Each structure stands twice: as structure tokens, then as C-alpha cells.
Amino acid sequence: MTLDLFDSDQPGYAQEAPAEGVVLLRRFALESDQSLVTAIESVARQSAFRHMETPGGHVMSAAMTCCGELGWVTDRRGYRYTQNDPQTGEPWPEMPRIFRELAVRAAEAAGFPEFNPDACLINRYRPGAKMGLHQDRDEQDFSQPIVSVSLGLPVVFQFGGARRSDRPMRLPLSHGDVIVWGGKVRRHYHGVLTLRRGAHPLTGDCRYNLTFRKAG
Ligand code: SIN
Ligand code: FE2
């Protein structure tokens, strides 16, 4: 299903429903793309992008930072949310208002009118980086959806089932696309395939992903 929606306060975006519980809002973030990238850069000046280590000792190929009351981290001790950036010892940077407004608006458009994100993970992928299939399950409240924003180079997103072995569907994501999932599929496996080389006018040789969640 694709609906093209045009009205005064929401210039064109197209809504797709690739699977039950999954809503893809094509180009939803396009109108604020420049401000979003500026806000990412400002968060990264306070809490720099870094390659975190998994509990199994692998260094993640995507570089990460966070903003909001809680930030997601991984190291040899495990995955968890923290109030402070372990690298600076300071609280994670405040969630920029433009981030929160976008996430709440996207959730609402996708049928989740009560979304109240307290955590935003920012992933930065350079060519060759990827994110293997995983579940987002370190949050307290699974009634709230996940809102995931793509900026810069395109990538293929994988959305699977409740088991890692369930064959994932492949969804190409482009600059400005927002994908929202929740309800029964909230803990489904997902990831992104290896980022291919390219040059994007706004982000250069990278793709950013903003993942909003209610973690606490
Ligand atoms: C993630 O699930 O953590 C990131 C997905 C993406 O980069 O689109
Ligand atoms: Fe995820």
C-alpha cells in the first residue's frame, strides 16, 4: 500500500506498510534534513562518535553516539543504557528539539500517538560498515515503538521475524526515510546490509541513522 499525502503542514511523503506493525514513511525527514545533520554534528562535538565493543569482543563497524536522558552502550560487560557518556563522564547531550519533534510526529503518523522517546542512538556508517541482525530489547517499555531515521547514503534495511532464523525482508532506505515498528513486531530482528561507497550532497561518504526509543 502506498499513500501519497500532501497537506499544508506536511509536504509530500509516502506511507508504506511493508509488514504488519511496520510503517515506512518515505521522505518524512527530508524537509528538515539540513537541521538534523547540523544537530548530529553538535551532539558529536559533546559526545564524539566511537566504535564500541560487543560483549563478545567485536568492534562494531558503525560508529555511535547518543543523546537524550539515556544512551545505549556496549562493552565487554554487556549492552545497557546509561545516563552518562562513559567516554566523557558527563550526561549524554540533550536530545535536540528537532529530533524529538520529528520522532513524535513520525510515530503519530504511523499510529503510535503516545510516543515519548528518552533515548536517541546515532549510528554513523561509512562504506563497508553494517549492522547484523539483532533485536532491540534493552528497553523497559516494549509498548512504545521504535522510530528510525535514515540520512545520507542509501542502504538496504532488513526486517525479520521473532527468531534470528526467520528470513528477513529487504527494504531499501534512502535519505529522509523514516521507518517505525512496534506492537507485536517490536522485538523483531532487524539490521542493515553493508553500506556501499557513494557521495551524498549533505553527508558526504556516510549514512546516519537516528534510532529513537523509550528506554527507561
Ligand atoms: C539499528 O537497528 O540499530 C540501526 C538500523 C539502521 O541503521 O537503520
Ligand atoms: Fe536496532
Side-chain angles (χ1 to χ4, degrees):
M1 177 188 69
T2 299
L3 284 173
D4 260 298
L5 304 172
F6 294 90
D7 65 39
S8 51
D9 54 25
Q10 180 58 261
Y13 70 93
Q15 182 158 336
E16 300 174 16
E20 203 195 334
V22 183
V23 175
L24 180 43
L25 304 166
R26 295 274 183 207
R27 304 183 298 279
F28 195 87
L30 202 55
E31 60 170 344
S32 42
D33 62 354
Q34 177 70 68
S35 329
L36 291 167
V37 171
T38 301
I40 291 170
E41 288 163 354
S42 134
V43 167
R45 275 193 296 276
Q46 300 169 68
S47 277
F49 281 102
R50 80 289 307 261
H51 293 272
M52 298 188 198
E53 203 176 352
T54 67
H58 295 286
V59 175
M60 299 190 75
S61 59
M64 297 175 174
T65 185
C66 298
C67 60
E69 286 158 51
L70 293 168
W72 184 86
V73 299
T74 173
D75 58 21
R76 294 305 288 254
R77 284 159 49 208
Y79 305 132
R80 63 197 175 278
Y81 281 93
T82 63
Q83 288 178 322
N84 290 347
D85 176 351
Q87 206 158 267
T88 62
E90 298 291 323
W92 292 104
E94 226 175 283
M95 190 184 298
R97 186 200 283 209
I98 182 175
F99 279 22
R100 162 178 290 280
E101 285 174 359
L102 173 72
V104 168
R105 240 173 359 100
E108 192 164 13
F112 296 95
E114 310 288 326
F115 189 43
N116 183 23
D118 57 9
C120 174
L121 170 66
I122 309 175
N123 292 305
R124 186 188 66 199
Y125 301 81
R126 291 243 153 85
K130 64 179 173 12
M131 179 83 64
L133 285 177
H134 65 277
Q135 296 172 289
D136 287 11
R137 56 168 194 199
D138 303 316
E139 299 74 33
Q140 305 285 337
D141 182 356
F142 295 117
S143 71
Q144 298 245 340
I146 290 175
V147 172
S148 179
V149 178
S150 290
L151 294 165
L153 292 178
V155 81
V156 176
F157 183 78
Q158 293 189 293
F159 196 83
R163 288 175 301 257
R164 187 186 297 278
S165 56
D166 293 335
R167 179 193 286 270
M169 68 168 69
R170 291 182 168 195
L171 299 167
L173 296 181
S174 300
H175 179 68
D177 290 349
V178 179
I179 185 160
V180 181
W181 67 94
K184 277 197 275 192
V185 303
R186 169 65 178 71
R187 271 168 284 179
H188 277 203
Y189 280 85
H190 60 278
V192 297
L193 299 184
T194 304
L195 192 79
R196 301 177 66 130
R197 213 191 307 276
H200 189 275
L202 195 54
T203 66
D205 70 344
C206 78
R207 168 180 183 261
Y208 293 114
N209 163 258
L210 309 175
T211 297
F212 294 93
R213 310 181 186 109
K214 172 82 173 91

